Every structure is written in structure tokens, then in C-alpha cells.
Amino acid sequence: MSVHVENVRRVTTRRLQEMKIRGEKISMLTAYDYTMAGIVDQAGVDVILVGDSASNVMCGNTTTLPITLDQMIFMGKAVARATQRALVVVDMPFGSYQGNPEGAIASAIRIMKESHCDCVKMEGGEEVIDSVRRIISAGIPVMGHLGLMPQSINKYGSYTVRATGDEEAEKLIRDARLLEEAGCFAIVLEKIPAELAKLVTEQLSIPTIGIGAGGDTDGQVLVLHDMLGLNCGFSPRFLRRYANLNAVMNEAIKHYVSDVKSCDFPNDQECY
Ligand code: KIV
């Protein structure tokens, strides 16, 4: 029996490495469901992140902490089904890897087995390095995440720019090196000074993907709902809005309501 495989060259961790070497920027966006992931993939985005930002934009929570492993796997499955070209990364949610390497590897294996995605992302450096090593040793590619780490919001107390002082900047550089040595294939750098992100990017041989980290990282990532203007209550300096879908959808839905109320919808052609 043969399996039909679409004729598309999939993005792999190796291809991201090649992109860094030849200076081609990497594009990454989040997606959490089948329909949106299909649109993102067909538009040519290199990496799709099933981010735990779903906790905010999909579930309405004020932090990323409440989202569960089961919920991440549910969304990962839908995104993987829709994606033909992009590399699909699933965020390991808060509580699924911070305990110990045994718990972490069990969570990562569940994500890979049940979602059919390509790899996982974890926040943190030295604190989680044993778990990162354990997961990579099982053949699961890991993307690191340093700088602003939303899963640690209760430790920081705010979502302001990280690593502006020497001590935190030095720790970030050490953590980035540790993650590279452990075998991570890329690192997200969130909300740190552009100069620091540039330095880390130059020092590492693996790609860095920035969000609010300036233009010198090897790639950029944004939350899909933010860049499409679906939620209007979030406007950090780093966010560029490429559309105002909130207004477009609002207009369309108001039009529909009005058509229903006035008995304009459905018309004769729309009936059987
Ligand atoms: O969860 C997420 O969307 C993320 C990005 C902000 C990088 O981690």
C-alpha cells in the first residue's frame, strides 16, 4: 500500500539552519486551529507555532499559565493536519516540564505521538537544561525561549522588556549558549534590547527568532491574532498590524444580522 505525499518540500530544522547560514530570514507565526493554520501555511510562513498564547487569544485567560497539555495537543493535531510545508512547533505548557526531566520527557512524547507536530518549544535556560537534554536525547527537536518568558509572569510581575541590566543580559547569553550546546535547533528571543539580540545571534550557530528583539535576529515571530488586528486591546511597540480583521468581521456580521432582521436573507436563490 502506498501513502500519497504532497509534492511540497517541507521546512525542517536543518533547512532553518541552512537559512541562517545563507542569511535568509525565517518567518514564524502562531496558529491554533485547522482553518487558520492552512491559510498561514499556504501563504508561505516557514514555521508555525502552536503557542501557549492560545491561553490568551483563544481562551480569554489573562496569562499563559492555565492552558493544559491536553488542550495544546488538541490544537497541535488540528494545525498539523492543515500544514503541508511549514515546520510545526508546539509549546510545552506551564507545568508540563518544570518538575523534572522524567515528567518533561513524558509530556514531550505525548505531544509528538498525539499531535503529529514536528517539535516542541520550552521556556528557560539553566533551570530546565536537564529536561531539554533528556527530550533531545529521545530524538525530539527543541526550540528554546529566552528573554520575556510569559510562563514566569508571576516571578517577574510585569511584561516589560527583559535583560536591560548587565546581570540579566549576561545570564541570557550564558543560557543561550547552554541551549545551543544541549542541541536546541533554534531559540526565540522575546522582548529584549535589539543590541543584545544581535550579540546573541552573532554568537550562536543556531537561528534566533525574535519578537520585540529588533531586526538582527535570524527570524521574526508574531502572534497571528495580533498581527491580523483581530484583538485590538494589545498594542506593544513591536507589534505591526498587517490588517484590521476585527473591523472587517464586525462589518460583515452586522450586515448579516441586518439581512436576517429585514428578511433579506435568505433570498429565493438561497432556498431549496
Ligand atoms: O506562545 C506564543 O505565542 C509564543 C510567542 C510569543 C513566541 O511563545
Side-chain angles (χ1 to χ4, degrees), residues 55-97:
S55 180
N56 308 91
V57 298
M58 300 298 283
C59 310
N61 296 311
T62 52
T63 73
T64 58
L65 274 67
I67 202 142
T68 65
L69 187 57
D70 284 342
Q71 288 166 333
M72 293 304 298
I73 290 170
F74 174 84
M75 290 182 291
K77 232 184 244 179
V79 170
R81 246 182 245 131
T83 306
Q84 306 211 337
R85 177 183 172 273
L87 182 83
V88 182
V89 187
V90 177
D91 253 334
M92 294 189 66
F94 176 71
S96 71
Y97 63 97

mmCIF file of all heavy atoms in Angstrom, residues 55-97:
data_model
loop_
_atom_site.group_PDB
_atom_site.id
_atom_site.type_symbol
_atom_site.label_atom_id
_atom_site.label_comp_id
_atom_site.label_asym_id
_atom_site.label_seq_id
_atom_site.Cartn_x
_atom_site.Cartn_y
_atom_site.Cartn_z
ATOM 1 N N SER A 55 -3.757 30.426 25.267
ATOM 2 C CA SER A 55 -4.418 30.623 26.558
ATOM 3 C C SER A 55 -5.059 32.008 26.605
ATOM 4 O O SER A 55 -6.168 32.174 27.114
ATOM 5 C CB SER A 55 -3.390 30.476 27.689
ATOM 6 O OG SER A 55 -3.991 30.669 28.940
ATOM 7 N N ASN A 56 -4.351 33.014 26.027
ATOM 8 C CA ASN A 56 -4.884 34.376 25.989
ATOM 9 C C ASN A 56 -5.871 34.542 24.838
ATOM 10 O O ASN A 56 -7.038 34.870 25.049
ATOM 11 C CB ASN A 56 -3.743 35.402 25.813
ATOM 12 C CG ASN A 56 -2.631 35.221 26.827
ATOM 13 O OD1 ASN A 56 -1.678 34.503 26.575
ATOM 14 N ND2 ASN A 56 -2.766 35.845 27.971
ATOM 15 N N VAL A 57 -5.376 34.312 23.594
ATOM 16 C CA VAL A 57 -6.190 34.716 22.441
ATOM 17 C C VAL A 57 -7.328 33.744 22.119
ATOM 18 O O VAL A 57 -8.337 34.149 21.562
ATOM 19 C CB VAL A 57 -5.320 34.967 21.172
ATOM 20 C CG1 VAL A 57 -4.353 36.091 21.396
ATOM 21 C CG2 VAL A 57 -4.609 33.737 20.695
ATOM 22 N N MET A 58 -7.182 32.481 22.470
ATOM 23 C CA MET A 58 -8.255 31.519 22.179
ATOM 24 C C MET A 58 -9.178 31.295 23.381
ATOM 25 O O MET A 58 -10.348 30.994 23.208
ATOM 26 C CB MET A 58 -7.669 30.160 21.754
ATOM 27 C CG MET A 58 -6.808 30.209 20.523
ATOM 28 S SD MET A 58 -7.695 30.756 19.056
ATOM 29 C CE MET A 58 -8.610 29.281 18.634
ATOM 30 N N CYS A 59 -8.599 31.377 24.589
ATOM 31 C CA CYS A 59 -9.391 31.011 25.782
ATOM 32 C C CYS A 59 -9.758 32.196 26.664
ATOM 33 O O CYS A 59 -10.543 32.050 27.603
ATOM 34 C CB CYS A 59 -8.643 29.994 26.632
ATOM 35 S SG CYS A 59 -8.028 28.580 25.713
ATOM 36 N N GLY A 60 -9.139 33.369 26.406
ATOM 37 C CA GLY A 60 -9.503 34.548 27.186
ATOM 38 C C GLY A 60 -8.878 34.627 28.560
ATOM 39 O O GLY A 60 -9.300 35.439 29.388
ATOM 40 N N ASN A 61 -7.859 33.804 28.836
ATOM 41 C CA ASN A 61 -7.170 33.908 30.128
ATOM 42 C C ASN A 61 -6.240 35.120 30.126
ATOM 43 O O ASN A 61 -5.795 35.571 29.072
ATOM 44 C CB ASN A 61 -6.338 32.641 30.391
ATOM 45 C CG ASN A 61 -7.205 31.404 30.529
ATOM 46 O OD1 ASN A 61 -8.181 31.421 31.277
ATOM 47 N ND2 ASN A 61 -6.868 30.338 29.813
ATOM 48 N N THR A 62 -5.892 35.619 31.308
ATOM 49 C CA THR A 62 -5.008 36.783 31.366
ATOM 50 C C THR A 62 -3.537 36.365 31.298
ATOM 51 O O THR A 62 -2.670 37.203 31.046
ATOM 52 C CB THR A 62 -5.227 37.605 32.657
ATOM 53 O OG1 THR A 62 -5.126 36.702 33.757
ATOM 54 C CG2 THR A 62 -6.591 38.272 32.654
ATOM 55 N N THR A 63 -3.225 35.086 31.510
ATOM 56 C CA THR A 63 -1.839 34.612 31.377
ATOM 57 C C THR A 63 -1.833 33.312 30.582
ATOM 58 O O THR A 63 -2.893 32.733 30.291
ATOM 59 C CB THR A 63 -1.190 34.330 32.757
ATOM 60 O OG1 THR A 63 -1.757 33.125 33.292
ATOM 61 C CG2 THR A 63 -1.388 35.474 33.723
ATOM 62 N N THR A 64 -0.611 32.823 30.303
ATOM 63 C CA THR A 64 -0.497 31.557 29.569
ATOM 64 C C THR A 64 -0.556 30.355 30.525
ATOM 65 O O THR A 64 -0.566 29.206 30.072
ATOM 66 C CB THR A 64 0.831 31.489 28.782
ATOM 67 O OG1 THR A 64 1.926 31.650 29.690
ATOM 68 C CG2 THR A 64 0.891 32.555 27.712
ATOM 69 N N LEU A 65 -0.586 30.612 31.817
ATOM 70 C CA LEU A 65 -0.445 29.514 32.777
ATOM 71 C C LEU A 65 -1.563 28.459 32.770
ATOM 72 O O LEU A 65 -1.286 27.268 32.931
ATOM 73 C CB LEU A 65 -0.255 30.071 34.204
ATOM 74 C CG LEU A 65 1.190 30.413 34.580
ATOM 75 C CD1 LEU A 65 1.731 31.581 33.784
ATOM 76 C CD2 LEU A 65 1.320 30.682 36.065
ATOM 77 N N PRO A 66 -2.829 28.848 32.589
ATOM 78 C CA PRO A 66 -3.888 27.837 32.750
ATOM 79 C C PRO A 66 -3.968 26.790 31.636
ATOM 80 O O PRO A 66 -4.561 25.730 31.842
ATOM 81 C CB PRO A 66 -5.174 28.662 32.766
ATOM 82 C CG PRO A 66 -4.762 30.064 33.026
ATOM 83 C CD PRO A 66 -3.391 30.196 32.446
ATOM 84 N N ILE A 67 -3.403 27.065 30.458
ATOM 85 C CA ILE A 67 -3.632 26.108 29.356
ATOM 86 C C ILE A 67 -2.970 24.764 29.681
ATOM 87 O O ILE A 67 -1.902 24.705 30.283
ATOM 88 C CB ILE A 67 -3.166 26.690 28.001
ATOM 89 C CG1 ILE A 67 -3.878 25.988 26.857
ATOM 90 C CG2 ILE A 67 -1.659 26.617 27.826
ATOM 91 C CD1 ILE A 67 -4.242 26.870 25.722
ATOM 92 N N THR A 68 -3.646 23.673 29.280
ATOM 93 C CA THR A 68 -3.188 22.340 29.690
ATOM 94 C C THR A 68 -2.500 21.607 28.533
ATOM 95 O O THR A 68 -2.631 21.991 27.359
ATOM 96 C CB THR A 68 -4.386 21.473 30.148
ATOM 97 O OG1 THR A 68 -5.230 21.255 28.993
ATOM 98 C CG2 THR A 68 -5.179 22.146 31.249
ATOM 99 N N LEU A 69 -1.821 20.539 28.885
ATOM 100 C CA LEU A 69 -1.162 19.702 27.885
ATOM 101 C C LEU A 69 -2.196 19.123 26.910
ATOM 102 O O LEU A 69 -1.989 19.117 25.691
ATOM 103 C CB LEU A 69 -0.389 18.583 28.609
ATOM 104 C CG LEU A 69 0.503 17.679 27.770
ATOM 105 C CD1 LEU A 69 1.552 18.475 27.004
ATOM 106 C CD2 LEU A 69 1.188 16.639 28.658
ATOM 107 N N ASP A 70 -3.318 18.657 27.428
ATOM 108 C CA ASP A 70 -4.372 18.103 26.561
ATOM 109 C C ASP A 70 -4.869 19.151 25.563
ATOM 110 O O ASP A 70 -5.098 18.847 24.388
ATOM 111 C CB ASP A 70 -5.573 17.629 27.398
ATOM 112 C CG ASP A 70 -5.280 16.312 28.094
ATOM 113 O OD1 ASP A 70 -4.339 15.608 27.683
ATOM 114 O OD2 ASP A 70 -5.981 15.998 29.074
ATOM 115 N N GLN A 71 -5.019 20.391 26.035
ATOM 116 C CA GLN A 71 -5.501 21.455 25.131
ATOM 117 C C GLN A 71 -4.464 21.772 24.058
ATOM 118 O O GLN A 71 -4.802 21.990 22.893
ATOM 119 C CB GLN A 71 -5.862 22.713 25.947
ATOM 120 C CG GLN A 71 -7.133 22.522 26.762
ATOM 121 C CD GLN A 71 -7.333 23.596 27.828
ATOM 122 O OE1 GLN A 71 -6.381 24.200 28.326
ATOM 123 N NE2 GLN A 71 -8.574 23.826 28.201
ATOM 124 N N MET A 72 -3.185 21.787 24.442
ATOM 125 C CA MET A 72 -2.123 22.055 23.463
ATOM 126 C C MET A 72 -2.082 20.938 22.414
ATOM 127 O O MET A 72 -1.888 21.195 21.215
ATOM 128 C CB MET A 72 -0.758 22.180 24.153
ATOM 129 C CG MET A 72 -0.599 23.385 25.064
ATOM 130 S SD MET A 72 -0.927 24.976 24.274
ATOM 131 C CE MET A 72 0.319 25.040 23.012
ATOM 132 N N ILE A 73 -2.267 19.710 22.852
ATOM 133 C CA ILE A 73 -2.237 18.563 21.922
ATOM 134 C C ILE A 73 -3.446 18.638 20.964
ATOM 135 O O ILE A 73 -3.306 18.415 19.759
ATOM 136 C CB ILE A 73 -2.210 17.230 22.712
ATOM 137 C CG1 ILE A 73 -0.844 17.083 23.405
ATOM 138 C CG2 ILE A 73 -2.491 16.040 21.790
ATOM 139 C CD1 ILE A 73 -0.749 15.939 24.396
ATOM 140 N N PHE A 74 -4.594 18.996 21.507
ATOM 141 C CA PHE A 74 -5.811 19.139 20.685
ATOM 142 C C PHE A 74 -5.577 20.142 19.544
ATOM 143 O O PHE A 74 -5.869 19.889 18.373
ATOM 144 C CB PHE A 74 -6.955 19.608 21.598
ATOM 145 C CG PHE A 74 -8.234 19.940 20.886
ATOM 146 C CD1 PHE A 74 -9.150 18.953 20.560
ATOM 147 C CD2 PHE A 74 -8.525 21.256 20.542
ATOM 148 C CE1 PHE A 74 -10.333 19.269 19.900
ATOM 149 C CE2 PHE A 74 -9.700 21.582 19.880
ATOM 150 C CZ PHE A 74 -10.612 20.583 19.560
ATOM 151 N N MET A 75 -4.972 21.300 19.898
ATOM 152 C CA MET A 75 -4.731 22.332 18.881
ATOM 153 C C MET A 75 -3.603 21.901 17.930
ATOM 154 O O MET A 75 -3.679 22.125 16.719
ATOM 155 C CB MET A 75 -4.373 23.665 19.555
ATOM 156 C CG MET A 75 -5.553 24.280 20.264
ATOM 157 S SD MET A 75 -5.151 25.864 20.996
ATOM 158 C CE MET A 75 -4.045 25.355 22.284
ATOM 159 N N GLY A 76 -2.573 21.285 18.486
ATOM 160 C CA GLY A 76 -1.443 20.828 17.672
ATOM 161 C C GLY A 76 -1.903 19.871 16.580
ATOM 162 O O GLY A 76 -1.469 19.945 15.427
ATOM 163 N N LYS A 77 -2.810 18.980 16.943
ATOM 164 C CA LYS A 77 -3.355 17.992 15.993
ATOM 165 C C LYS A 77 -4.033 18.691 14.821
ATOM 166 O O LYS A 77 -3.824 18.339 13.658
ATOM 167 C CB LYS A 77 -4.413 17.173 16.740
ATOM 168 C CG LYS A 77 -4.249 15.688 16.661
ATOM 169 C CD LYS A 77 -5.424 15.035 17.362
ATOM 170 C CE LYS A 77 -4.948 14.268 18.570
ATOM 171 N NZ LYS A 77 -6.006 13.620 19.329
ATOM 172 N N ALA A 78 -4.846 19.687 15.126
ATOM 173 C CA ALA A 78 -5.588 20.412 14.080
ATOM 174 C C ALA A 78 -4.618 21.166 13.170
ATOM 175 O O ALA A 78 -4.774 21.177 11.947
ATOM 176 C CB ALA A 78 -6.572 21.381 14.730
ATOM 177 N N VAL A 79 -3.608 21.790 13.768
ATOM 178 C CA VAL A 79 -2.626 22.562 12.987
ATOM 179 C C VAL A 79 -1.792 21.624 12.116
ATOM 180 O O VAL A 79 -1.568 21.897 10.930
ATOM 181 C CB VAL A 79 -1.734 23.415 13.929
ATOM 182 C CG1 VAL A 79 -0.567 24.029 13.174
ATOM 183 C CG2 VAL A 79 -2.567 24.498 14.617
ATOM 184 N N ALA A 80 -1.365 20.510 12.680
ATOM 185 C CA ALA A 80 -0.542 19.558 11.910
ATOM 186 C C ALA A 80 -1.320 19.041 10.697
ATOM 187 O O ALA A 80 -0.773 18.901 9.599
ATOM 188 C CB ALA A 80 -0.109 18.397 12.799
ATOM 189 N N ARG A 81 -2.608 18.790 10.880
ATOM 190 C CA ARG A 81 -3.450 18.281 9.785
ATOM 191 C C ARG A 81 -3.543 19.277 8.636
ATOM 192 O O ARG A 81 -3.670 18.903 7.476
ATOM 193 C CB ARG A 81 -4.865 18.041 10.323
ATOM 194 C CG ARG A 81 -5.266 16.585 10.322
ATOM 195 C CD ARG A 81 -6.680 16.434 10.819
ATOM 196 N NE ARG A 81 -6.709 15.709 12.069
ATOM 197 C CZ ARG A 81 -7.367 16.081 13.153
ATOM 198 N NH1 ARG A 81 -8.079 17.194 13.166
ATOM 199 N NH2 ARG A 81 -7.331 15.342 14.223
ATOM 200 N N ALA A 82 -3.467 20.568 8.954
ATOM 201 C CA ALA A 82 -3.660 21.610 7.930
ATOM 202 C C ALA A 82 -2.360 21.981 7.226
ATOM 203 O O ALA A 82 -2.389 22.700 6.232
ATOM 204 C CB ALA A 82 -4.242 22.859 8.586
ATOM 205 N N THR A 83 -1.236 21.527 7.756
ATOM 206 C CA THR A 83 0.050 22.069 7.317
ATOM 207 C C THR A 83 0.782 21.117 6.379
ATOM 208 O O THR A 83 0.985 19.958 6.701
ATOM 209 C CB THR A 83 0.923 22.357 8.557
ATOM 210 O OG1 THR A 83 0.173 23.198 9.435
ATOM 211 C CG2 THR A 83 2.213 23.047 8.180
ATOM 212 N N GLN A 84 1.167 21.657 5.220
ATOM 213 C CA GLN A 84 1.885 20.827 4.245
ATOM 214 C C GLN A 84 3.355 21.198 4.145
ATOM 215 O O GLN A 84 4.173 20.382 3.772
ATOM 216 C CB GLN A 84 1.255 21.005 2.869
ATOM 217 C CG GLN A 84 -0.229 20.738 2.887
ATOM 218 C CD GLN A 84 -0.717 20.175 1.583
ATOM 219 O OE1 GLN A 84 -0.091 20.361 0.561
ATOM 220 N NE2 GLN A 84 -1.823 19.487 1.618
ATOM 221 N N ARG A 85 3.679 22.484 4.427
ATOM 222 C CA ARG A 85 5.061 22.931 4.197
ATOM 223 C C ARG A 85 5.786 23.352 5.470
ATOM 224 O O ARG A 85 6.927 22.989 5.688
ATOM 225 C CB ARG A 85 5.057 24.101 3.194
ATOM 226 C CG ARG A 85 6.444 24.671 2.971
ATOM 227 C CD ARG A 85 6.458 25.867 2.035
ATOM 228 N NE ARG A 85 7.778 26.465 2.034
ATOM 229 C CZ ARG A 85 8.187 27.378 2.900
ATOM 230 N NH1 ARG A 85 7.384 27.819 3.846
ATOM 231 N NH2 ARG A 85 9.410 27.863 2.827
ATOM 232 N N ALA A 86 5.114 24.136 6.320
ATOM 233 C CA ALA A 86 5.801 24.733 7.476
ATOM 234 C C ALA A 86 6.227 23.687 8.500
ATOM 235 O O ALA A 86 5.618 22.623 8.615
ATOM 236 C CB ALA A 86 4.878 25.752 8.145
ATOM 237 N N LEU A 87 7.272 24.033 9.247
ATOM 238 C CA LEU A 87 7.659 23.238 10.417
ATOM 239 C C LEU A 87 6.680 23.612 11.535
ATOM 240 O O LEU A 87 6.438 24.797 11.772
ATOM 241 C CB LEU A 87 9.088 23.629 10.826
ATOM 242 C CG LEU A 87 9.698 22.868 11.995
ATOM 243 C CD1 LEU A 87 10.285 21.542 11.501
ATOM 244 C CD2 LEU A 87 10.777 23.685 12.681
ATOM 245 N N VAL A 88 6.110 22.617 12.199
ATOM 246 C CA VAL A 88 5.124 22.915 13.242
ATOM 247 C C VAL A 88 5.707 22.640 14.635
ATOM 248 O O VAL A 88 6.138 21.521 14.932
ATOM 249 C CB VAL A 88 3.813 22.116 13.039
ATOM 250 C CG1 VAL A 88 2.795 22.505 14.115
ATOM 251 C CG2 VAL A 88 3.227 22.371 11.657
ATOM 252 N N VAL A 89 5.727 23.690 15.457
ATOM 253 C CA VAL A 89 6.286 23.632 16.808
ATOM 254 C C VAL A 89 5.148 23.766 17.814
ATOM 255 O O VAL A 89 4.299 24.644 17.651
ATOM 256 C CB VAL A 89 7.257 24.825 17.050
ATOM 257 C CG1 VAL A 89 7.967 24.692 18.384
ATOM 258 C CG2 VAL A 89 8.257 24.965 15.918
ATOM 259 N N VAL A 90 5.136 22.914 18.833
ATOM 260 C CA VAL A 90 4.105 23.036 19.877
ATOM 261 C C VAL A 90 4.758 23.509 21.178
ATOM 262 O O VAL A 90 5.761 22.945 21.614
ATOM 263 C CB VAL A 90 3.395 21.680 20.126
ATOM 264 C CG1 VAL A 90 2.385 21.808 21.271
ATOM 265 C CG2 VAL A 90 2.679 21.208 18.879
ATOM 266 N N ASP A 91 4.180 24.543 21.791
ATOM 267 C CA ASP A 91 4.661 25.000 23.088
ATOM 268 C C ASP A 91 4.365 23.955 24.149
ATOM 269 O O ASP A 91 3.228 23.474 24.254
ATOM 270 C CB ASP A 91 3.920 26.288 23.487
ATOM 271 C CG ASP A 91 4.798 27.512 23.381
ATOM 272 O OD1 ASP A 91 6.032 27.383 23.479
ATOM 273 O OD2 ASP A 91 4.241 28.613 23.194
ATOM 274 N N MET A 92 5.361 23.638 24.983
ATOM 275 C CA MET A 92 5.084 22.806 26.154
ATOM 276 C C MET A 92 4.482 23.747 27.198
ATOM 277 O O MET A 92 5.088 24.751 27.559
ATOM 278 C CB MET A 92 6.375 22.155 26.649
ATOM 279 C CG MET A 92 6.909 21.155 25.628
ATOM 280 S SD MET A 92 8.267 20.152 26.223
ATOM 281 C CE MET A 92 7.479 19.176 27.489
ATOM 282 N N PRO A 93 3.262 23.453 27.665
ATOM 283 C CA PRO A 93 2.593 24.403 28.565
ATOM 284 C C PRO A 93 3.188 24.397 29.969
ATOM 285 O O PRO A 93 3.850 23.428 30.363
ATOM 286 C CB PRO A 93 1.148 23.908 28.573
ATOM 287 C CG PRO A 93 1.240 22.461 28.285
ATOM 288 C CD PRO A 93 2.418 22.270 27.374
ATOM 289 N N PHE A 94 2.903 25.466 30.699
ATOM 290 C CA PHE A 94 3.356 25.596 32.081
ATOM 291 C C PHE A 94 2.936 24.364 32.889
ATOM 292 O O PHE A 94 1.795 23.916 32.808
ATOM 293 C CB PHE A 94 2.746 26.857 32.711
ATOM 294 C CG PHE A 94 3.086 27.012 34.155
ATOM 295 C CD1 PHE A 94 4.371 27.348 34.546
ATOM 296 C CD2 PHE A 94 2.117 26.811 35.136
ATOM 297 C CE1 PHE A 94 4.696 27.483 35.891
ATOM 298 C CE2 PHE A 94 2.429 26.949 36.478
ATOM 299 C CZ PHE A 94 3.721 27.274 36.853
ATOM 300 N N GLY A 95 3.901 23.815 33.630
ATOM 301 C CA GLY A 95 3.596 22.667 34.489
ATOM 302 C C GLY A 95 3.871 21.331 33.837
ATOM 303 O O GLY A 95 3.855 20.292 34.505
ATOM 304 N N SER A 96 4.163 21.349 32.515
ATOM 305 C CA SER A 96 4.337 20.062 31.830
ATOM 306 C C SER A 96 5.807 19.664 31.739
ATOM 307 O O SER A 96 6.124 18.579 31.252
ATOM 308 C CB SER A 96 3.715 20.100 30.431
ATOM 309 O OG SER A 96 4.482 20.914 29.571
ATOM 310 N N TYR A 97 6.730 20.549 32.190
ATOM 311 C CA TYR A 97 8.155 20.204 32.082
ATOM 312 C C TYR A 97 9.029 20.780 33.191
ATOM 313 O O TYR A 97 10.203 20.432 33.316
ATOM 314 C CB TYR A 97 8.708 20.644 30.721
ATOM 315 C CG TYR A 97 8.679 22.148 30.463
ATOM 316 C CD1 TYR A 97 9.796 22.943 30.683
ATOM 317 C CD2 TYR A 97 7.522 22.767 29.980
ATOM 318 C CE1 TYR A 97 9.755 24.317 30.429
ATOM 319 C CE2 TYR A 97 7.477 24.123 29.730
ATOM 320 C CZ TYR A 97 8.596 24.893 29.948
ATOM 321 O OH TYR A 97 8.553 26.243 29.699
#
